[in-house]
Every structure is written in structure tokens, then in C-alpha cells.
Amino acid sequence: MQFSIKKVLPHFLVLVGFVILSLAYFSPVLQGKQIFQSDIMQYIGMSKQQNDFRSQTGEETYWTNSAFGGMPTYQLGAKYPHNYIKKLDLTLRFLPRPADYLFLYFLGFYVLLLVLKVDFKLAALGALAFGFSTYLIIILGVGHNSKAHAIAYMPLVLSGILLTFQKKYISGFLLTALAMGLEIVANHFQMTYYLMLLVIILGIAYLIDAYKKNLLPHYFKSVGILVAAVILSVALNATGVLATKEYVKESTRGKSELTINPDGSSKEISSGLDKDYITQFSYGYWETFNLFIPRFMGGGNGEDVGKDSATYDAFRKLGATTSQAIQESKQAPMYWGDQPIVEAPAYIGAVVLFLFVFALFLVKGRLKWWLVGGSILSLLLSYGKNLGFLTDFFIDYVPLYNKFRAVTSIQVLLELCIPVLAIFGLARLFNNFEKKEEKLKALKNASIITGGIALGFLLFKSSLFDFVGVNDGFYRQNYGQAFVNALIEDRKTIFTQDTIRTLILVLLSAGAIFMYLKEKLKEKWVVVAFGVLILFDLVGVDKRYVNNDDFVSSIQVNKPFEANAADKEILKDTGYYRVFDLVGGAAKPSYFHNSLNGYSAAELKRYSELFDFHIAKNNMNVLNMLNTKYIIAQDEKGNVFPYTNEDANGNAWFVKKLEKVNSANQEIKALDSLDNKNKAIYTSQKESENLKTNYIVDSLATIKLVSYKPNYLKYQSNNSNEGFVVFSEIYYGNGWKTWVDGKGATHMRVDYVLRGMEIPAGKHTIEFKFDPDVVKTGSTIALASSILFGLLLLGGLFYGFKKKSATSA
């Protein structure tokens, strides 16, 4: 027992250290403050209706009417029955946000390096290098929580895979299933997809190695075990996976039926996102050096250059007061790369990259080629449209690649691979696999390469670069050439400062290794030295972009929106209607109203197309059919007011005529001038068979909404004739079920996005309920899989204990 405590104690202390560091970096959480994250603010606005419904009724709604006219909540934090893997995830994230994600960064990477048989001290060092990588901190600052969440579990998934290839089949299977289950819980399929690409590279590297060593049976046995583990992990998340799979076909990530653009031009048919949209954020070739020199390309679009800057002086000369100039200088547009906007550089660290280059000359074998291959692929794909032939190949031929935007995000792979190899370089330094002469040669090469790059940029910066940004024309037009000259001067200044900083860190890193090789510095002090250097390097840059100033009181985060005069006036109307906000935009309207606005990267495709074709152009005909009773606008003096639209069609109405059109193109174009109060149009559907084209609607025909919940609608109709009703509700065939007088019925899609159905003559009760079968099916699978995993875990623990006891005996 005493031996076991000694064995576990170092790891326990490391984990305690991770907790302390996570809380120290985000120390305001200890005062009850929360970080203000712009994306999370939008998420709170989008999800308020479903959260309010849950708190008021104790039930879950999988549909919200507060955004985009109506959409499923699958990507808005929906809670599913029997989602026990999610409960485990919440247990692991016991720290206040965002310290919880930073802790997960540390934990996952620490386990990965331990699985790779790295000494716990170096594993802890590697965890710091990974966790404090600037990009990983930045995404926490802006609120890309699900992305951070998914990245944090990547090392754990790799740990399980590597354990399996190490012939630890049972522990490898269990860890892979568990870690992959947690990875899927994070619900950021783009990051999970990128992880798959890295695993494929790992598989290729290990396959080649197995072939050379005649270990193919073991290799394929491992692959089979891992496939089973992944299947189990998917089953643990069955509800979310199945719901997303079902929804993505109907979302902006799915295939469009349109072959035209809003301007009438031909549209490229694609089963995924538009190519220009995918590559909008593409890394420039020169931006590669941001990984090594933080503000190589100026940093971000809003850099704090301080009072002693040319930018500050330029603002003063333009007439700004001292306080105004100081404030503007805190958000100076220093970035001069090709991307539309950059929050901060994806800085990996001068120290870490030096160690990475050092490791290239010492580490050999499959691990090196996996990590180098993953890093290179990640970097090349991040160039996007700047390396068009490779990007186009992946978009056109690699399955699912065209479902994701912002190709620069794939750099998360090199941000994982580079620290692993860097730490392996240190491990090789301390063991006896290589002779001292080889280590000195590797040190010399790494110093020349990294130091030479930094020195070269320092000496020849003016010859190589003009420091002119893509937006400088705007600043020249509005502020004059003198202002642009000031920006360029400051860009040169911070380029020089950070290049010198990188050069010094390289020299200090090289000096520490040189002193160790000359036996002037012991191993433990080298580890301490690199710990200090890495923390100084990365935390120093991280704090430029995410710091205590980003924290606010909890009330500001939990209630991020304040109702304006227009909102308050509209809220006096307790009826059921929609609001179109021309002023607030994004998710603010969703916080208060059933809105046509919204904020999501995966809204329903047909609604998105309707918005682009008609709503964005304020087509009142279309706004009417969506029951848009209020439009929030702004007068010439800047006053916000609610416009009451008296022509809104209401919740439902009988139409006199149905007309079938031949294509989605015709249907969406016809909405521009369609008399939608009296006529509805549709394309061929299963539900549209045997429909009449003309209906009698007399003055006494009525239909009224008598009960409403986000996931339930009840109408009363009275019509002396058989009629066809159009409902001002967004059509989504996967989950909305219909009853007429308690008997199951069917409805169909009309007017491109709305629901419609034929109603018999007489008085009737029509009910709509969102009761998706995918949730029931998924929950059953998740329950069975959780029980299976629990039994397998107990069996694995019992087997391990029994085996250990037999070995001890």
C-alpha cells in the first residue's frame, strides 16, 4: 500500500498544480465573476426560450420559436434522457468556467505523455506548453467553448489509441471508448473530424512500422478493437449523434435544391458549404511565422499599442482627447495579414518550437513521422484558398470536408503535435539513446535554424515587408495617409520587439541545453528552467488577449441583453407573433421575442435561403406570411421604435387556391409577388398527392390558435367547406406530428418554408407536437450502451486486479 501511495502521489500533486494554475490564470472566477464571451452571449440569447421552458415546466423542448422563425434545439444545448456520458463530462469540469477547460487541456495532454512513457515531470511540462498555447486560450476568451471542449479531449482519445497499439488491449479499448464518448459530447464535429484526420495519419505511420517489423496481425487486431471502441462511444452519444445526423441534411450544411442565387445568377451545386465561405479565413504563407514570433503579422485587429505609440499621436493630431486617444490605442488595427479579421496570433511559443526543431534531429521512428506528418498536413490545409489545389481536392473529394468552415481551425492539430514532439526532444536529451555528440549537433542545428530565422527577419524586415494591411485603404480614406503611416510605424515596432523577444528565448533555451550537456546544469534544473521559460513565453502572450479585464459580474453574463423601448412596447402584446429586428440583429431579438433573427452556423437551409432571397430585402409579402407583427426599426435621429405590421397573415389561414410548381427555384421566386393570403404553392411531396387546386373559403371560415408552447400548438377551425390551411410555422418534417380531433394526420411543406394541410368541413381541433422519434430511439441506445460500458469497465478492472494479484503472487 505504501508503494502505491508513493506511485500515485506525484500524479496527484501534478493534478493539484493544474487546478491551481487554471484558477490562477482565470483568478476572477474566485470572486464570482465570469468571463464575457461574445459567442456565449449570442448562445444565451438563442437558447433562452428553451431554458425558460425547462425551468418552468421541468420538461425539455427540442424546438424553439425564438430564432430564425423556428428551429430544432439540437445545437443549442438540448438535454437528452440517459445521457450519462454527459454527466461524467460535467463531473470532470468541476472548476468554474473557463478554468474547467484549461484544466482539461492540462489533464488530457498529461495523460497522453504518460501513455507515451514520458517521465511525469516532463509530461507536466508538456501539459503547460499545450494548455497555454495562445490559440487555445483565445478561443476561451471569445466563447468558442464547444471547440475548446472538443480539443481538450483529443489527447485522451489519442492516449487510448496508443495504449491499444502498445498491446494493452483492455485498457486501450476502455479509454478509447470513454475518451471518444467525451469527445463527441463536446458537440463540435469539426474538431472531431480533424482529430480523425490525425488518427488516420497515425494509422498510416503505425501500419508502415508494423509491416517493417512483421507485426501486421497485432496492428489489425488493434484496429479492430479501436473500431469497436469508437462504435461504443458513438452509441453512448446516440441521441445527439442521430439528431445531428438527421438535422444536418436540413441545415445550411446540407445540400440545397436551389440552382440560383438571390441575384438570379447560377449557383454551384454542392452537398456542403460554399467554397468561398469555407475558405474565407485562410492562413497566409507569411502568417506561418506567427507560430514562432507572436506579432509577426501585427497580432490581432485590436492591439493595445499604448500611449507611447505613433497611433496614439495620430489620434491626438486628428482631434481626439487624451482619454479618447488612449482608448483607441488599446484597439489599434495592427494586423496586416490577408484574413478578414484575426483576434490574436496562433502562437505556439518560441521555446516550444525550438524544442520541436531540436527533437527533429534526435527523435526517430513512427512517432516522429506521425507528429511531423500531422503538423505538415495541418499547416498546408490551413492555407485554404492560398493553396488552392490541395484545398479544392479536399473539398471536392474528401468526405465531409466541405461541411466545415474556417479552414485555419485545423491548426489545432499542429498545436497538439508540436508540443508532443518538443517534449520528446527533451526526453531524448536526458536519456542515453543518443551520444552526446549527436545531442550537441542537434542543439547546433536547432539554434542555427530557429535563431537564424529570427535574426534574419530582424535584419531584413524592411526589405521583406511593407507592413500594409488589406484594410488600410479604409483607414486612408477616413483618417488620411498620416494615420496609415502611424499604423505602419507601430507594426514595425511590435514586429521588432517580438522578434527580439523570440531570439532571446531561443538563446536562453539553447543555453540551458548546452549547460546540461556540459554538465554545468542538472536535469531537474533544466526542467525547471524550461518550465519557467514556457510559462513566461506563453502566458506573457496569452495575457495580451485574455486577462482579468475580460471578466464581469455574473449578472452581465447571465443576462447579457437589455430590452430597449421598442422591446418593452412589443412585450406588452402577449399574443403569439414574430418580430423582425432591423437594429439589434443576431441573438438579441431571440432573447425577448419569437424572432426572425438569430445567430447560428447551422440554421435551417430553406429558411436561410428565404432570408437571403426575401427577408433581407424587407419583402413585406414574405414577412406577412411569417406572421411578422412587429418590425423594430430606427428613425433618422437614431431612436428605436416598433413598427406594427397590420397586414401580417396571422397564425393560420384558409387559402382559396393551391398551385404546384416544378422546382425549388420557381417556388422561392414566386414568393416575391404571391398573394399568400389566398394562394399557396408547393413542390411535389408524398403528402401532396390527391390534393385539390381550388377551395371555397367563405366569410365565416375561421381558424384560431388556442394554445401555444414552443413544442406544441393547438388550433380550432370552423369551415362549412373542406379547406386547406397554411400555418405561419416553419416546416420541419422530422419530428412535428399532427392530429385532427385526436386522430393522426399529415401536413406538408408549402410556400417554401411553411406548413400546410387539408382540413375537413366542420369544426375541428388541430394539434401540432414536436415529438422527434430520433430522441426516443437515441435515448434507448444510449441507455443500453451505458449499461454495457459499465459492465465492460467492471470486467476490465476485475481482470486487471486479478492479473496484478497473480503477478504479485
Side-chain angles (χ1 to χ4, degrees), residues 231-232 234-238 780-790 792:
I231 292 172
L232 180 55
V234 172
L236 290 170
N237 290 277
T780 302
I781 296 172
L783 175 60
S785 302
S786 298
I787 294 172
L788 175 61
F789 180 78
L792 291 172

Side-chain angles (χ1 to χ4, degrees), residues 1 30 63 83 155 169 280 282 322 325 332 347 373 458 514 575-576 647 805:
M1 179 61 71
L30 300 173
W63 185 270
N83 195 2
Y169 299 121
Q280 181 183 12
S282 295
T322 300
Y347 181 60
L458 192 62
F514 181 77
Y576 178 62
D647 294 323
S805 299

Side-chain angles (χ1 to χ4, degrees), residues 367-647:
L367 179 73
K368 171 184 175 180
W369 296 118
W370 163 49
L371 295 170
V372 171
S375 299
I376 292 174
L377 179 68
S378 171
L379 183 62
L380 293 179
L381 286 175
S382 74
Y383 290 141
K385 60 189 175 186
N386 296 317
L387 195 63
F389 75 91
L390 181 64
T391 299
D392 290 347
F393 174 82
F394 268 73
I395 290 173
D396 294 335
Y397 300 108
V398 177
L400 301 179
Y401 191 79
N402 63 358
K403 303 292 184 183
F404 308 112
R405 63 184 289 267
V407 294
T408 52
S409 296
I410 201 172
Q411 285 196 356
V412 298
L413 298 186
L414 64 85
E415 284 152 5
L416 189 158
C417 293
I418 287 175
V420 174
L421 192 58
I423 295 302
F424 253 82
L426 274 182
R428 289 291 189 185
L429 173 68
F430 296 140
N431 62 35
N432 297 317
F433 290 134
E434 280 79 27
K435 297 178 181 178
K436 182 182 288 188
E437 291 75 17
E438 292 180 26
K439 296 174 182 177
L440 283 169
K441 184 178 179 181
L443 174 62
K444 178 182 176 182
N445 291 337
S447 301
I448 291 173
I449 291 171
T450 55
I453 289 173
L455 185 61
F457 285 134
L458 192 62
L459 295 175
F460 302 108
K461 61 179 182 289
S462 297
S463 302
L464 292 169
F465 312 113
D466 60 10
F467 297 91
V468 175
V470 293
N471 295 320
D472 283 1
F474 168 82
Y475 301 121
R476 184 179 297 108
Q477 183 176 352
N478 289 275
Y479 301 106
Q481 183 61 44
F483 179 79
V484 173
N485 291 341
L487 294 179
I488 291 173
E489 183 179 341
D490 284 336
R491 288 166 183 163
K492 290 180 179 179
T493 299
I494 61 177
F495 178 96
T496 302
Q497 291 171 346
D498 277 9
T499 304
I500 292 173
R501 180 184 187 274
T502 288
L503 182 58
I504 291 172
L505 287 169
V506 165
L507 294 175
L508 289 173
S509 301
I513 293 176
F514 181 77
M515 290 179 69
Y516 170 77
L517 291 173
K518 293 299 182 181
E519 300 180 2
K520 301 291 185 181
L521 203 61
K522 293 183 178 180
E523 178 181 326
K524 65 178 181 180
W525 294 116
V526 176
V527 175
V528 170
F530 274 106
V532 172
L533 286 172
I534 287 172
L535 286 174
F536 172 82
D537 184 12
L538 293 175
V539 174
V541 174
D542 294 343
K543 282 291 185 180
R544 294 174 182 175
Y545 305 101
V546 182
N547 50 54
N548 292 0
D549 294 339
D550 297 309
F551 285 80
V552 296
S553 64
S554 295
I555 191 70
Q556 288 179 259
V557 173
N558 297 326
K559 295 184 178 180
F561 300 107
E562 185 175 343
N564 57 34
D567 294 317
K568 293 175 182 177
E569 184 65 27
I570 293 171
L571 290 170
K572 293 177 183 178
D573 186 339
T574 57
Y576 178 62
Y577 50 84
R578 289 196 178 83
V579 175
F580 184 34
D581 193 336
L582 298 173
V583 181
K588 176 183 176 291
S590 302
Y591 190 79
F592 297 107
H593 313 290
N594 290 321
S595 169
L596 298 185
N597 305 85
Y599 182 87
S600 174
E603 62 192 278
L604 285 168
K605 178 175 279 292
R606 278 186 168 251
Y607 179 84
S608 176
E609 292 167 343
L610 183 77
F611 195 96
D612 293 340
F613 273 77
H614 298 293
I615 299 174
K617 300 174 183 177
N618 298 327
N619 184 328
M620 291 304 299
N621 207 37
V622 170
L623 293 176
N624 290 340
M625 78 178 196
L626 292 167
N627 192 24
T628 311
K629 189 174 180 180
Y630 297 100
I631 299 172
I632 298 178
Q634 197 171 38
D635 63 22
E636 294 178 355
K637 296 181 180 179
N639 299 314
V640 178
F641 67 95
Y643 167 74
T644 303
N645 178 24
E646 302 290 351
D647 294 323

Side-chain angles (χ1 to χ4, degrees), residues 133-249:
S133 182
T134 301
Y135 180 78
L136 302 192
I137 297 297
I138 289 301
I139 59 178
L140 294 177
V142 298
H144 294 173
N145 289 356
S146 60
K147 179 185 285 188
H149 199 173
I151 293 169
Y153 285 131
M154 284 181 178
L156 276 180
V157 176
L158 295 172
S159 300
I161 293 170
L162 291 168
L163 274 176
T164 306
F165 280 119
Q166 292 170 8
K167 298 186 178 182
K168 298 175 181 177
Y169 299 121
I170 294 176
S171 56
F173 170 84
L174 290 171
L175 182 55
T176 302
L178 186 66
M180 193 64 202
L182 292 167
E183 172 71 26
I184 296 170
V185 160
N187 197 35
H188 200 294
F189 292 105
Q190 184 172 2
M191 294 300 105
T192 305
Y193 180 82
Y194 291 159
L195 172 62
M196 181 196 72
L197 295 180
L198 184 60
V199 170
I200 289 173
I201 297 173
L202 182 153
I204 294 171
Y206 275 57
L207 175 61
I208 294 171
D209 185 73
Y211 176 78
K212 290 180 178 179
K213 296 176 180 178
N214 293 318
L215 292 174
L216 287 177
H218 156 64
Y219 175 86
F220 288 111
K221 178 181 179 181
S222 299
V223 170
I225 290 171
L226 291 171
V227 169
V230 171
I231 292 172
L232 180 55
S233 72
V234 172
L236 290 170
N237 290 277
T239 315
V241 171
L242 291 175
T244 300
K245 180 177 180 293
E246 182 181 83
Y247 177 65
V248 74
K249 297 175 184 177

